[in-house]
């Protein structure tokens, strides 16, 4: 029986995580292993498994309060204090082990000489509880874990057991064990790092920080290098070195000497989603709470790297072909987000929402009074897409009709091309000085006061100029073929808004950036790209300016060619503000007509008293609710470059959609508890 060597190895594996605590600890039991092995073999069944022994061992060590309570009750120190050789604490502990953790292997706890009968229909018997309690009391004594001596005197108040003495050696290694590069045979991987050059790093593992060593593999035939989170290979077509980011990697490199596991990276992604946490806020929280007293510090750059890696893994794992993202060998984090959105962003279309259907966003077709003879099974289900924009977007090149990224996001106004063309030209020094002063940090406090108190005018202030600002819901100048002239090119231009499209249930279909305005023309282009075929187009498209979009579609001819089977309506909130004299809006874009003309928008339900009432068939406010949630990221997004903006927003909407769909599926399956739907209310 090779019980001894196997137990020692399992102890190291099971105790993979050390407990980081400022509280005092008790040392790990330090007894000869032969003594421990003899005790186990003589006390329990000869067929006891390694797993059962480890459950007993670590259950005792992870509950130091149990050892104190058990030891105290075994001794009577004052009059009236009952002495229990087998304490009630240890008996309850034995009951829980027999009925919970070890119920399937209860027979391994007893010798045949114990004469213990275990009823399969009962979790335990009084005899089995007493027998196991005595065995565990003997195990406590054998491990020298008792808090009191034989005379009842306190010997050592048991604290949390320290696992430092058996802390394992932790390695960060490649996932592959043989070369899997295209055109190369399955050769084994060699390890060529010199001992003196093996990097020692800090590994953030959930709420813990430990030390680890990093090794990588190398194929001596094709030159491919295998790391824990990526593979470096030569592109056979371009002969350039590239990196394939492994979507299923256990560990991710965050910095030169900092790594993290998937528990840490997923917590970054979930904290960002649930709490709208910035990278700086999460870094400060984690370093203060779990950073080994300041020995391990997580910076905002580490957190951003973790977010990018985890979000890429989330999106890439849903791809059917080639789930791993391939980037240039020397790509920095900005190039990674750029490539990620290009390869995995799908142009802003959220993949999990494609072909989605639930009872909140589709239903069988209903017919008006004169069409009751029609069979709904012969018609496609009624669907709706809700569209809305939020004025929150990144910057781009200030030159007219150029939407290229800025050459430098911190202070530059042009892209790289226009910077070379226009960057060295005179910018009118007087106006440039005024612009610098008005955009300085010193001016920020005053700007905040002006925003919070728009009517205030103190004597020393210059008269305020009322800038002509394009109203969000007003017709866009570009629809009148006019051009907005820029007063200067001191600062970059900015996209006007972020347009989102979602189902009434909250699942996001797609998003896009609109430059200059949220015009009906831009909206129609966005919808045409989102629904390219007649089969994909919804029955209803709901938008706050639905009447303007409908009118534009009729005028430019796209209604007859593209949208003749789709009806544009206005959401219920904005419809109340539209003019009653607008016959087109009142006739064609009413979201809830009560005359029975639109039975697919307004349905009748029966309340608890049997009375009929009208109910809207769809949630036309879904996009308003979505954008209200997105607005929580405004403080994060406004400081991002366009590439980081694109990937961050896409990742958040992607995760949001996955959670909404999962909540709907759980609700349909009857698994969700009342009032506990995941991420359905944002």
């Amino acid at each position: 029986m090779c019980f001894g060597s196997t137990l020692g190895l399992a102890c190291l594996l099971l105790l993979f995580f050390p407990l980081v605590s400022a509280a005092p600890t008790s040392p790990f039991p330090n007894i000869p292993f032969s003594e421990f092995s003899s005790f186990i073999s003589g006390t329990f069944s000869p067929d006891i498994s390694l797993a059962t022994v480890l459950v007993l061992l670590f259950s005792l060590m992870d509950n130091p309060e149990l050892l104190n309570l058990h030891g105290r009750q075994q001794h009577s120190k004052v009059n009236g204090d009952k002495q229990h050789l087998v304490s009630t604490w240890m008996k309850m502990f034995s009951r829980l082990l027999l009925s919970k953790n070890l119920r399937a292997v209860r027979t391994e706890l007893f010798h045949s000489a114990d004469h213990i009968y275990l009823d399969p229909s009962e979790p335990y018997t009084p005899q089995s509880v007493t027998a196991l309690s005595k065995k565990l009391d003997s195990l406590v004594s054998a491990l020298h874990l008792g808090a009191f001596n034989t005379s009842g005197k306190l010997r050592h108040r048991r604290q949390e057991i320290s696992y430092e003495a058996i802390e394992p050696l932790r390695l960060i290694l490649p996932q592959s064990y043989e070369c899997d590069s295209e055109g190369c045979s399955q050769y084994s991987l060699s390890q060529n790092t010199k001992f003196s050059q093996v990097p020692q790093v800090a590994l953030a593992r959930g709420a813990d920080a430990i030390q680890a060593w990093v090794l990588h593999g190398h194929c001596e035939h094709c030159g491919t290098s295998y790391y824990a989170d990526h593979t470096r290979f030569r592109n056979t077509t371009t002969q350039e070195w590239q990196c394939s980011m492994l979507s299923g990697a256990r560990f991710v490199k965050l910095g030169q000497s900092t790594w993290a596991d998937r528990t840490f990276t997923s917590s970054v992604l979930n904290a960002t989603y649930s709490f709208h946490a910035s990278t700086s806020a999460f870094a400060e929280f984690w370093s203060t709470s779990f950073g080994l007293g300041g020995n391990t510090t997580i910076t905002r750059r580490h957190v951003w790297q973790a977010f990018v890696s985890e979000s890429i893994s989330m999106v890439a794992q849903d791809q059917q072909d080639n789930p791993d993202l391939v980037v240039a060998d020397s790509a920095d984090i900005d190039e990674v987000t750029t490539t990620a959105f290009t390869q995995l962003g799908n142009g802003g279309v959220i993949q999990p929402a494609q072909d989605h259907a639930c009872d909140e966003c589709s239903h069988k077709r209903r017919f008006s009074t004169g069409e009751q003879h029609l069979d709904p099974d012969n018609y496609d289900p009624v669907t709706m897409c809700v569209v809305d924009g939020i004025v929150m977007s990144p910057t781009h090149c200030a030159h007219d009709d150029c939407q290229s990224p800025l050459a430098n996001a911190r202070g530059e106004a042009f892209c790289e091309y226009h910077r070379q063309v226009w960057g060295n030209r005179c910018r009118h020094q007087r106006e440039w000085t005024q612009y610098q002063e008005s955009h300085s940090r010193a001016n920020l406090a005053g700007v905040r006061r002006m925003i919070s108190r728009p009517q205030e005018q103190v004597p020393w202030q210059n008269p305020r100029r009322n800038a002509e600002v394009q109203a969000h819901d007003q017709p866009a100048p570009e629809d009148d073929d006019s051009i907005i002239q820029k007063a200067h090119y001191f600062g970059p231009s900015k996209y006007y808004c972020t347009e989102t499209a979602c189902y009434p249930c909250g699942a996001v279909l797609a998003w896009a950036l609109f430059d200059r305005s949220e015009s009906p023309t831009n909206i129609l282009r966005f919808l045409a790209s989102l629904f390219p075929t007649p089969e994909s187009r919804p029955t209803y498209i709901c938008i706050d300016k639905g009447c303007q979009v409908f009118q534009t579609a009729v005028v430019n001819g796209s209604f007859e060619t593209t949208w003749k089977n789709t009806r544009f309506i206005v959401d219920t909130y904005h419809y109340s503000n539209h003019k009653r004299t607008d016959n087109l809006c009142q006739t064609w874009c009413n979201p809830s007509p009560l005359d029975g003309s639109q039975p697919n928008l307004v349905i009748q339900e029966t309340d608890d008293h049997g009375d009929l009432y009208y109910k809207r068939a769809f949630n036309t406010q879904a996009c308003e609710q979505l954008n209200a949630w997105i607005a929580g990221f405004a403080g994060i997004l406004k400081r991002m470059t366009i590439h980081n903006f694109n990937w961050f927003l896409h990742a958040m909407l992607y995760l949001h959609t996955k959670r909404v769909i999962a909540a709907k599926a759980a609700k349909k399956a009857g698994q969700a508890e009342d009032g506990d739907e995941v991420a359905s209310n944002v």
Side-chain angles (χ1 to χ4, degrees):
M1 182 177 182
C2 59
F3 179 75
S5 60
T6 310
L7 176 61
L9 176 62
C11 287
L12 295 178
L13 295 177
L14 185 63
L15 298 175
F16 186 73
F17 55 95
L19 296 178
V20 180
S21 176
T25 59
S26 298
F28 189 85
N30 188 21
I31 64 172
F33 185 77
S34 58
E35 180 180 334
F36 178 79
S37 179
S38 299
F39 175 85
I40 295 296
S41 301
T43 306
F44 301 97
S45 169
D47 298 326
I48 189 170
S49 66
L50 174 64
T52 304
V53 173
L54 293 177
V55 170
L56 295 175
L57 176 64
F58 296 117
S59 294
L60 287 174
M61 292 195 302
D62 282 350
N63 294 282
E65 297 83 3
L66 172 70
L67 303 177
N68 296 327
L69 293 166
H70 167 67
R72 174 61 183 84
Q73 200 174 32
Q74 286 183 313
H75 303 281
S76 176
K77 299 178 65 175
V78 296
N79 292 333
D81 192 8
K82 295 183 179 180
Q83 182 179 6
H84 300 267
L85 296 180
V86 181
S87 70
T88 56
W89 297 97
M90 191 60 74
K91 285 185 177 180
M92 180 56 68
F93 183 67
S94 300
R95 291 188 186 98
L96 292 172
L97 285 174
L98 290 169
S99 60
K100 303 297 181 181
N101 299 60
L102 299 178
R103 180 163 185 171
V105 293
R106 292 177 297 173
T107 57
E108 299 179 6
L109 301 174
F110 306 100
H111 276 291
S112 58
D114 294 330
H115 303 293
I116 299 298
Y117 171 73
L118 297 172
D119 188 351
S121 62
E122 297 293 335
Y124 56 83
T125 62
Q127 295 80 8
S128 64
V129 171
T130 302
L132 180 58
S133 297
K134 292 180 178 180
K135 293 175 184 288
L136 293 176
D137 179 61
S138 300
L139 180 57
V140 170
S141 300
L143 295 173
H144 305 301
L145 292 176
F148 296 82
N149 58 20
T150 55
S151 62
K153 185 177 180 180
L154 180 63
R155 179 171 52 194
H156 189 282
R157 182 184 180 94
R158 288 297 163 188
Q159 306 290 345
E160 190 176 14
I161 303 296
S162 172
Y163 296 143
E164 184 178 357
I166 59 170
E167 185 175 347
L169 176 68
R170 297 175 178 86
L171 300 177
I172 299 177
L173 301 172
Q175 297 183 85
S176 301
Y177 51 83
E178 61 185 14
C179 184
D180 55 9
S181 297
E182 183 179 356
C184 184
S185 300
Q186 297 176 343
Y187 294 102
S188 61
L189 304 180
S190 60
Q191 200 295 114
N192 299 329
T193 306
K194 295 181 180 180
F195 176 78
S196 59
Q197 297 177 351
V198 176
Q200 180 181 359
V201 300
L203 175 61
R205 195 180 55 176
D208 198 3
I210 58 178
Q211 298 298 315
W213 281 260
V214 182
L215 297 174
H216 71 275
H218 183 74
C219 178
E220 297 180 351
H221 295 269
C222 66
T224 301
S225 297
Y226 292 83
Y227 298 83
D229 61 345
H230 71 278
T231 301
R232 181 177 182 268
F233 65 97
R234 186 185 293 275
N235 189 306
T236 56
T237 303
T238 62
Q239 297 301 312
E240 295 180 351
W241 288 101
Q242 293 181 317
C243 286
S244 176
M245 301 179 62
L246 305 179
S247 58
R250 286 182 57 204
F251 304 106
V252 177
K253 186 176 182 180
L254 305 183
Q256 185 174 5
S257 58
T258 306
W259 286 67
D261 67 350
R262 284 299 179 187
T263 303
F264 176 87
T265 57
S266 63
S267 67
V268 170
L269 185 64
N270 292 326
T272 305
Y273 174 86
S274 300
F275 307 130
H276 295 82
S278 66
T279 55
S280 299
F282 188 91
E284 181 181 359
F285 161 76
W286 194 95
S287 298
T288 304
S289 303
F290 313 114
L292 284 177
N295 294 332
T296 301
T297 301
I298 296 295
T299 67
R300 62 179 181 84
R301 294 183 183 274
H302 294 152
V303 176
W304 176 243
Q305 181 76 41
F307 175 89
V308 171
S309 176
E310 184 65 22
S311 57
I312 288 176
S313 176
M314 171 188 65
V315 178
Q317 287 180 353
D318 290 344
Q319 307 297 314
Q320 296 180 353
D321 301 325
N322 193 20
D324 297 331
L325 178 69
V326 178
V327 298
D329 180 38
S330 58
D332 57 19
I333 188 63
D334 292 332
E335 293 172 318
V336 170
T337 56
T338 303
T339 308
F341 187 72
T342 302
Q343 295 186 15
L344 305 175
N346 201 16
V349 177
I350 308 299
Q351 192 64 34
Q354 303 308 303
D355 302 323
H356 166 70
C358 66
D359 55 0
E360 293 187 33
C361 54
S362 66
H363 59 74
K364 283 189 175 182
R365 186 175 295 273
R366 303 181 182 92
F367 300 98
S368 56
T369 305
E371 302 174 328
Q372 296 296 327
H373 62 282
L374 300 177
D375 186 1
D377 293 333
N378 296 332
Y379 294 84
D380 294 332
V382 177
T383 57
M384 176 179 286
C385 170
V386 188
V387 183
D388 192 25
I390 176 172
V391 183
M392 182 180 63
S393 50
T395 55
H396 62 81
C397 178
H399 196 272
D400 297 335
D401 298 325
C402 180
Q403 299 178 15
S404 301
L406 300 176
N408 182 0
R410 294 184 177 273
E412 184 56 66
F414 296 113
C415 63
E416 184 61 34
Y417 171 76
H418 288 110
R419 184 182 68 84
Q420 296 178 6
V421 175
W422 296 91
N424 59 351
R425 298 197 178 187
C426 177
R427 294 187 176 182
H428 307 289
Q429 291 303 314
R430 184 173 63 84
E431 290 81 359
W432 172 242
T433 302
Q434 293 177 353
Y435 178 84
Q436 285 182 313
E437 292 177 352
S438 62
H439 289 74
S440 64
R441 291 188 177 183
N443 195 52
L444 181 59
V447 171
R448 288 176 176 172
R449 184 180 182 92
M450 292 172 64
I451 294 176
S452 61
R453 304 180 184 182
Q455 304 302 323
E456 183 182 63
Q457 181 69 46
V458 292
W460 56 84
Q461 284 182 319
N462 293 326
R464 296 182 183 178
R465 294 174 297 175
N466 296 323
E468 296 182 4
V469 180
Q470 168 66 33
H472 180 57
D473 292 330
Q474 293 302 315
E478 67 177 54
D479 288 346
D480 300 329
D481 296 328
S482 60
I483 299 177
I484 302 176
Q485 297 291 337
K486 291 180 65 70
H488 55 71
Y489 294 98
F490 296 153
S493 297
K494 193 173 185 179
Y495 286 95
Y496 175 72
C497 71
T498 300
E499 198 77 4
T500 55
C502 69
Y503 288 113
C505 66
V508 184
L509 277 164
W511 67 276
L513 292 174
F514 283 5
D515 195 25
R516 294 189 177 181
S517 68
E518 188 194 32
S519 67
T521 303
N522 282 339
I523 294 173
L524 288 172
R525 292 197 194 103
F526 174 57
L527 293 173
S529 65
L530 187 57
F531 306 110
T533 62
E535 296 79 13
S536 63
R537 291 165 193 150
T539 312
Y540 296 97
I541 293 179
C542 179
I543 187 170
D544 54 5
K545 54 180 69 176
C547 49
Q548 296 179 20
V549 176
F550 173 55
Q551 183 178 13
T552 302
V554 172
V555 172
N556 64 23
S558 62
F559 180 80
E560 288 296 329
T561 59
T562 307
W563 307 109
K564 60 182 178 181
N565 294 323
T566 298
R567 185 157 186 169
F568 294 93
I569 63 173
V570 180
D571 66 278
T572 54
Y573 173 76
H574 288 88
Y575 182 76
S576 60
N577 296 324
H578 285 216
K579 296 179 180 179
R580 294 185 179 275
T581 57
D582 189 344
N583 293 329
L584 182 145
C585 182
Q586 298 293 322
T587 304
W588 298 99
C589 303
N590 189 344
S592 52
L594 300 180
D595 57 0
S597 60
Q598 291 296 325
N600 291 301
L601 291 177
V602 181
I603 59 178
Q604 282 188 333
E605 295 284 349
T606 305
D607 60 17
D608 296 337
H609 302 288
D611 299 327
L612 292 176
Y613 68 94
Y614 289 107
K615 175 184 176 181
R616 297 186 182 92
F618 297 105
N619 175 22
T620 62
Q621 297 298 114
C623 248
E624 293 283 351
Q625 297 162 356
L626 174 68
N627 289 343
W629 172 73
I630 294 176
F633 296 108
I636 303 174
L637 290 170
K638 69 181 181 180
R639 298 180 179 274
M640 287 188 174
T641 64
I642 183 171
H643 298 306
N644 290 344
F645 180 100
N646 288 342
W647 182 251
F648 180 91
L649 184 59
H650 187 79
M652 287 293 94
L653 294 180
Y654 197 99
L655 177 59
H656 174 76
T657 301
K658 288 174 67 72
R659 291 194 176 188
V660 168
I661 294 176
K664 301 304 177 186
K667 182 179 179 180
K668 185 177 181 180
Q671 297 175 355
E673 298 180 0
D674 293 339
D676 192 29
E677 296 182 10
V678 181
S680 60
N681 297 322
V682 294

